[in-house]
Each structure stands twice: as C-alpha cells, then as structure tokens.
C-alpha cells in the first residue's frame, strides 16, 4: 500500500476527497478552462502546429498528471518556452504544416516523456540542479523576447521566418512593406486590451464595488472577450477576404489516438532537443509546484514529479499533442481560484474536451493576430532584465553567465542558449570549487574560537600554520591546496606544524586523498608535521579504510582548540 501511494499520489489525496474540495476544484477548473482555451490554441501555433494540437496536449496530459503528480495546484499543458523549443527542434527536421512536422512533434513528446519517466524511476531529480537559477532566469528572459518577436509577423500580417532574433528581425524588415493594415489594427488593439485587462481591469471593477472573486473571474476571462470580439468582427465584416489571416477549420473531435514514428534517424535528431526540453520543463514545473505548495505547507516529491510529467508527455505523444509541462500563469490562476487537489486539473481536462467537441467551430474566424497578442502579453511577463543588475552587483561571474546565456539564446537559438546555460552552470561550479577559500586562522583571545587572521584580531604562533579549507576536497581543487600550502610554507621557515581545520570538508574523493598523501610526504621532507582537526564522521570513516591516518605525521584532533593547545604546550 505504501508503494502504491508513493507512485500513485491520487491514492493518498483521493481517500480524503470531500464535497468541499469538489466544489473548490470545480470553480478553479472553470476559471482555468476559460483561460486555457485561447492559450492552448495560441501556443500550438507558436510551436508551428495546428491549433487543435494545443487542445489535445491539454486533455490527456492533465488527466495523467492528476493521477501521478504530487502538486495540488500545478496546471500541466503547453507553455510558451517549451512551445518555442519545440518549434526550434522540429524546424530542423520538417517544414511547418506538413504531416512529417506533426509526426515529429509526437516523437519529441514521446522521447521527453520517456526521459522524464526514467529519471523519476531512477530518482534523478537532482540533475535539474545543474542549471543555476540566474542562468535559467537569463534563458527564460531571452526566450520571452524571442517568443514576442516571433509573433510580430502575425500582428503585422506578413510572412516571416527564423528562430533567432537577428533572422526574425531581418525577415520582418524585409516584408514590412507587405503589412496588412487591418491585421495590424486588430493586433495592436488586442494587445493593448489584454495589457489593460491584466493591469487595470481588476482595480476598476473593485472601485465599482464588484466583489474580489467576481472581479478576479472577469479579469481571467479577459482573453476570451478579446477572442469573441475580434472573431465576431472578422466574421461580420468579412475581413478574411481583405487579407486577415484566421485560424480556420479546427477538427471537432476528442483527441485522436496517435502513434509516434520511431525511425532511428528521427530519434537521433530529436534526442538532444528532447533532453533539453525535459530539463527546462522540469525546472520550470518544479519551481512553480514548490512555490505554491509552500504557501499551504504541502510537500512536493521531485522524483514523483518527474514521473507525473513523464506520464503527461507520453499521454500527449499518443493523443496528438506535443511536449508539455507545468505552466506558471495557469498554475497561479488555479491556486488563486481555490484548487485543493489535482482533481481540479481533471475537471479542466473535461472542460477542454467539451470545448474540443462543441466549441471549435466558433473559432474558425478567430484572427491569428489575436492569438499572437495573447502570447505576447503572456510572455513579456517572463522578461526580467533586473537579473542582470542583481548579478552584476552580487557576482561578476554569475553576471557573465547570465549575459552569455541571454545573448547566445537570442543570436544562436534556444537549443544553443540552454546548452550554454547548462555548460556555464557546471563550469562556474567547477571554477569556484576548484579555487576554494582557504583561510589562515588564529584563536580569538579568551575563547576557543578560530577566525581569519585578516578579518579579526587573533592570537597566532609563528611555529604553527592553521588553515581552514572552506570546501569539500575533490579532483578539481586538490592540486590547488597542494600549491597553496607549498607556497605558504616556502616563504616562512619558522613553520613546524600545519593544522588543516576540516569544518567545511564534507567529502574527500580519491584524487584529494592522493593529494593529502602527497602533502603529508612533502611536509615530512621539509620537517613539518601535518595535523587534522574537526574531521566529520563520514570523511573519517572513509579515511580509516586506507593507510593515510597510519602514515599521517601528526594527529587528528576533535577540535581546532585542542590541536593548537596540544601542539603549543611546553615540552
């Protein structure tokens, strides 16, 4: 039973499900469904897929996440960044609008789902930690700019292409003379209206005496109003005949059963994009889930989240969708609307299924410019250049990593950008830990505490060098410690004892062990004794398995104070 509850969280929260939770989940589902209908259509177009693919990717994945996911409020489905990454990956394989393009999207979702599921089963959620938050923030900011730029062609009503900012802007400039004035008016009006809805509608309604819940509901339904008005205008005024591009016919059906193609060439071409989409999607999803869970003191299991997201993506692959993840905006709406359990997501899926069956004829005349406006307003909230200022003030290396990620994403594309982000995150970690902070410490007078001699007035003995290494010792920094000690002792012949205070050393790998052995041997040749203090239990357990402690010229002391006291005690 415990294993069942571990892999099927629904068995946990489902036992206590009651009428109150049902009522709250149902209200949240109605609000999120209203928000998701235009968003799903818009994000599918962003991914280069038919609009119905967005609806399909929002039905089975939500149901599967409700069964396997641990977040009570996370709303799974198409999101802007993953849609952009999907378009970038598939654009290298097939042309948009072809059967091969749509089929490749299924394979991409399948690979992403399989990777996430495997990572969850093998408990590899820690892999996402290799992406630092500043780098992720830089990537999402650049992606927001790319997504907004990619939608300008729909606002202008021109044909443009490209997956990088220079190519997009160049293509837009080249076709600027072909701008459709009516489409431009629709696009600008829809964008302005949606910005006003997001910022100004709710305060206006509250000032008019409308209750907070009603005002919130009307605000969330704002995009639907833009869809209705512009669709009606195109139909009533015959604007399609005047060059306004519309969504057109959307199949009136439930998601179909689909089988992703599994050719070896296609799998090889998509395996890297699928991995990057999986990691980015997981990082975005787990960040949102943990933030919302903390507000209600609930627990999120990252490894089970991998399983939930993996199942959702596999569901998308077999029901005509494309890669999905937990979205920030819709999850916050779901949470604020009062969702108490993942059942809210299941009810949302039912609502979207009804929309797919009954409402799709109503969006035939929906102008693509309105969907583009929906995307632009949604993604510009992701753009946050303040991360550059914070990084510059706090850490120049983090600033360089964020700036490089932003520029590479804009200039070379999302795959290069996120790959560079992963690489830079790892390289920054290796660089920092390869040059650990090593403090020469002395005793604070009248106490048993030891502090940096350059920061505090402390007592020292010229015969004793006491060093505190503020990092675990491993292959990348072991030689740095060797060189530091050699240089320090070479310029001070009075030193007869070295004490390594290991307070911050949580691990010593084999390379570092060999360096410690070499340090012990060199110091012995120089007539200097090596001692250790405050060695942590797990580190001591490993050192006792080898001959290092037997060969150590000095002793291992429980505390730094005991070490200095023993060494400096008069003979």
């Amino acid at each position: 039973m415990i294993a069942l509850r571990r892999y099927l969280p629904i068995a946990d929260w489902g036992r206590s499900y009651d009428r109150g939770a049902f009522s709250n989940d149902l209200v949240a589902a109605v609000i999120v469904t209203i928000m998701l209908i235009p968003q799903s259509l818009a994000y599918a177009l962003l991914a280069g897929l038919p609009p119905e693919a967005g609806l399909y990717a929002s039905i089975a994945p939500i149901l599967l996440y409700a069964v396997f996911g641990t977040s009570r409020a996370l709303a799974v489905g198409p999101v802007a960044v993953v849609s952009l990454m999907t378009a970038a990956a598939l654009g290298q394989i097939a042309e948009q609008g072809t059967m091969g393009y749509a089929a490749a999207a299924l394979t991409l979702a399948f690979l992403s789902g399989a990777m996430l599921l495997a990572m969850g089963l093998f408990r590899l959620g820690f892999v996402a930690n290799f992406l630092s938050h500043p780098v992720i923030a830089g990537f999402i900011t650049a992606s927001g700019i790319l997504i907004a730029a990619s939608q300008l062609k729909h606002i202008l009503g021109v044909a443009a292409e490209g997956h990088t900012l220079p190519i997009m802007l160049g293509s837009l400039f080249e076709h600027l003379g072909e701008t459709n004035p009516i489409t431009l008016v629709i696009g600008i009006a829809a964008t302005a209206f949606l910005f006003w809805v997001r910022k100004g509608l709710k305060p206006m309604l509250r000032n008019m005496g409308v209750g907070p819940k009603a005002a919130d509901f009307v605000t969330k339904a704002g995009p639907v109003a833009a869809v209705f008005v512009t669709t009606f205008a195109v139909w009533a005024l015959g604007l399609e005949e005047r060059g306004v591009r519309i969504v057109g016919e959307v199949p009136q059906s439930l998601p179909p059963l689909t089988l992703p193609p599994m050719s070896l060439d296609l799998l090889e071409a998509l395996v890297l994009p699928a991995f990057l989409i999986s990691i980015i999607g997981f990082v975005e999803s787990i960040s949102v889930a943990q933030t919302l869970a903390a507000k209600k003191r609930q627990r999120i299991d990252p490894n089970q989240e991998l399983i939930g997201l993996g199942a959702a993506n596999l569901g998308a692959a077999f029901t005509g969708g494309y890669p999905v993840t937990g979205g920030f905006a819709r999850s916050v709406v779901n949470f604020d609307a009062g969702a108490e359990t993942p059942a809210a997501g299941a009810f949302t899926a039912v609502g979207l299924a009804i929309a797919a069956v009954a409402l799709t004829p109503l969006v035939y005349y929906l102008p693509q410019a309105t969907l583009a406006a929906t995307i632009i307003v949604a993604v510009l909230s992701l753009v946050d250049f303040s991360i550059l200022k914070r990084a510059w003030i706090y850490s120049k290396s983090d600033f360089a990593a964020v700036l490089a990620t932003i520029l590479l994403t804009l200039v070379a594309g999302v795959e290069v950008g996120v790959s560079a982000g992963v690489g830079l995150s790892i390289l920054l970690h290796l660089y920092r830990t390869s040059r650990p902070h090593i403090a020469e410490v002395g005793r604070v007078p009248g106490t048993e505490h030891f502090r940096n001699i350059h920061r505090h007035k402390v007592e020292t003995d010229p015969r004793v060098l006491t060093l505190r290494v503020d990092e675990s010792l491993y292959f990348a920094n072991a030689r740095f410690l060797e060189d530091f000690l050699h240089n320090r002792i070479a310029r001070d012949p009075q030193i007869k004892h070295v004490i390594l205070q290991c307070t911050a050393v949580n691990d010593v790998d084999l390379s570092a062990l060999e360096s410690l052995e070499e340090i012990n041997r060199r110091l012995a040749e120089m007539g200097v004794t090596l001692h250790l203090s405050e060695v942590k239990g797990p580190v001591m357990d490993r050192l006792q398995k080898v001959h290092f402690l037997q060969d150590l010229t000095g002793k291992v002391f429980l505390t730094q104070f005991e070490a200095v006291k023993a060494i400096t005690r008069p003979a």
Side-chain angles (χ1 to χ4, degrees):
M1 186 63 183
I2 295 176
L4 180 67
R5 290 171 60 184
R6 174 183 170 186
Y7 291 107
L8 291 175
I10 190 174
D12 186 16
W13 60 261
R15 292 183 306 159
S16 57
Y17 199 68
D18 55 24
R19 183 176 297 179
F22 171 80
S23 176
N24 291 334
D25 287 344
L26 193 60
V27 171
V30 171
I31 295 174
V32 174
T33 300
I34 290 172
M35 175 185 179
L36 266 184
I37 291 173
Q39 261 197 9
S40 298
L41 300 173
Y43 288 151
L45 292 178
L46 174 60
L49 293 163
E52 63 269 18
L55 288 174
Y56 298 160
S58 302
I59 297 175
I62 296 179
L63 289 171
L64 287 166
Y65 180 82
V67 174
F68 294 100
T70 60
S71 173
R72 303 291 181 97
L74 191 70
V76 172
V79 299
V81 173
V82 170
S83 297
L84 177 67
M85 295 179 73
T86 297
L90 301 183
Q92 302 174 15
I93 295 171
E95 187 177 347
Q96 288 188 12
T98 64
M99 290 295 293
Y101 190 95
L106 301 177
T107 303
L108 189 62
F110 176 82
L111 284 173
S112 180
M115 290 176 180
L116 288 165
L117 190 61
M119 289 170 65
L121 292 174
F122 288 102
R123 308 188 71 76
L124 299 178
F126 67 88
V127 171
N129 296 333
F130 288 111
L131 278 172
S132 69
H133 177 265
V135 167
I136 282 287
F139 172 73
I140 291 178
T141 291
S143 296
I145 295 171
L146 279 180
I147 292 167
S150 73
Q151 297 308 295
L152 292 178
K153 63 183 179 182
H154 298 302
I155 298 292
L156 298 171
V158 301
E161 58 185 18
H163 294 295
T164 65
L165 192 61
I167 295 176
M168 285 181 192
L169 295 180
S171 183
L172 283 171
F173 182 78
E174 184 180 342
H175 294 89
L176 199 58
E178 304 167 11
T179 300
N180 185 297
I182 300 175
T183 300
L184 181 61
V185 169
I186 292 173
I188 292 176
T191 304
F193 173 75
L194 291 173
F195 270 120
W196 174 76
V197 165
R198 174 166 289 201
K199 300 292 185 181
L201 180 57
K202 188 173 181 179
M204 186 189 76
L205 292 173
R206 295 291 290 125
N207 290 335
M208 292 171 60
V210 178
K213 288 189 176 180
D216 194 57
F217 180 83
V218 173
T219 301
K220 298 298 186 296
V224 177
V227 167
F228 175 79
V229 171
T230 55
T231 301
F232 179 79
V234 171
W235 171 75
L237 301 176
L239 298 181
E240 178 192 6
E241 299 175 0
R242 302 178 66 178
V244 175
R245 296 178 184 176
I246 60 174
V247 169
E249 185 176 355
V250 178
Q252 193 173 355
S253 68
L254 291 172
L257 291 177
T258 52
L259 188 64
M262 293 295 172
S263 72
L264 186 59
D265 291 341
L266 185 60
L267 293 174
E268 288 180 352
L270 292 178
V271 65
L272 178 58
F275 177 73
L276 296 176
I277 286 173
S278 300
I279 294 297
I280 290 294
F282 175 62
V283 170
E284 181 176 353
S285 180
I286 198 69
S287 299
V288 176
Q290 289 178 335
T291 299
L292 297 179
K295 294 182 178 181
K296 290 190 175 182
R297 297 192 177 185
Q298 295 168 349
R299 191 181 71 86
I300 298 296
D301 182 347
N303 292 304
Q304 185 61 34
E305 282 298 290
L306 284 166
I307 294 174
L309 292 174
N313 277 278
L314 290 176
F318 290 103
T319 56
Y322 68 99
V324 298
T325 192
F328 175 76
R330 69 174 69 103
S331 296
V332 171
V333 170
N334 197 37
F335 180 87
D336 290 343
E340 292 194 18
T341 73
F347 298 150
T348 300
V350 173
L352 290 170
I354 293 172
V357 171
L359 302 181
T360 50
L362 301 179
V363 300
Y364 181 91
Y365 289 100
L366 173 60
Q368 292 185 11
T370 301
L371 293 181
T374 302
I375 293 174
I376 290 172
V377 173
V379 301
L380 285 183
S381 63
L382 303 176
V383 177
D384 178 20
F385 285 113
S386 66
I387 186 65
L388 287 170
K389 181 180 179 180
R390 292 199 303 273
W392 175 261
I393 294 172
Y394 189 76
S395 168
K396 299 300 186 290
S397 59
D398 276 331
F399 170 81
V402 174
L403 182 62
T405 302
I406 291 175
L407 293 178
L408 284 171
T409 302
L410 292 176
V411 174
V414 290
E415 287 187 13
V416 173
V418 71
S419 299
V422 174
L424 286 169
S425 297
I426 296 173
L427 285 175
L428 279 174
H429 171 74
L430 291 175
Y431 174 76
R432 288 166 178 161
T433 57
S434 69
R435 303 175 62 83
H437 179 255
I438 300 176
E440 186 170 339
V441 299
R443 188 169 72 91
V444 177
T447 73
E448 296 183 5
H449 299 292
F450 286 77
R451 294 293 184 267
N452 194 321
I453 63 172
H454 299 297
R455 293 177 179 269
H456 303 272
K457 292 182 179 179
V458 294
E459 298 174 348
T460 60
D461 188 311
R463 300 168 301 161
V464 181
L465 173 63
T466 59
L467 299 177
R468 188 189 70 231
V469 184
D470 294 334
E471 185 64 65
S472 292
L473 299 177
Y474 73 119
F475 65 91
N477 62 22
R479 185 60 185 271
F480 180 81
L481 177 61
E482 282 188 55
D483 293 340
F484 183 95
L485 265 172
H486 178 77
N487 294 334
R488 177 66 181 86
I489 293 173
R491 66 174 186 265
D492 193 344
Q494 296 185 77
I495 296 174
K496 299 300 179 184
H497 297 273
V498 171
I499 307 171
L500 289 183
Q501 183 180 351
C502 302
T503 314
V505 178
N506 297 316
D507 187 35
V508 176
D509 74 357
L510 187 58
S511 296
L513 173 65
E514 292 175 353
S515 285
L516 288 175
E517 291 172 341
E518 180 65 16
I519 289 170
N520 185 55
R521 185 187 63 80
R522 281 191 184 182
L523 292 180
E525 291 175 352
M526 299 168 69
V528 178
T529 305
L530 175 65
H531 308 271
L532 305 179
S533 74
E534 303 189 22
V535 180
K536 293 187 175 180
V539 176
M540 181 63 79
D541 291 341
R542 296 178 68 177
L543 292 179
Q544 288 173 341
K545 294 179 181 179
V546 294
H547 291 282
F548 174 73
L549 296 179
Q550 288 90 323
D551 298 334
L552 186 66
T553 53
K555 297 180 180 180
V556 179
F557 294 92
L558 183 63
T559 67
Q560 181 75 5
F561 177 74
E562 288 184 6
V564 172
K565 183 179 179 181
I567 292 169
T568 57
R569 182 185 298 123

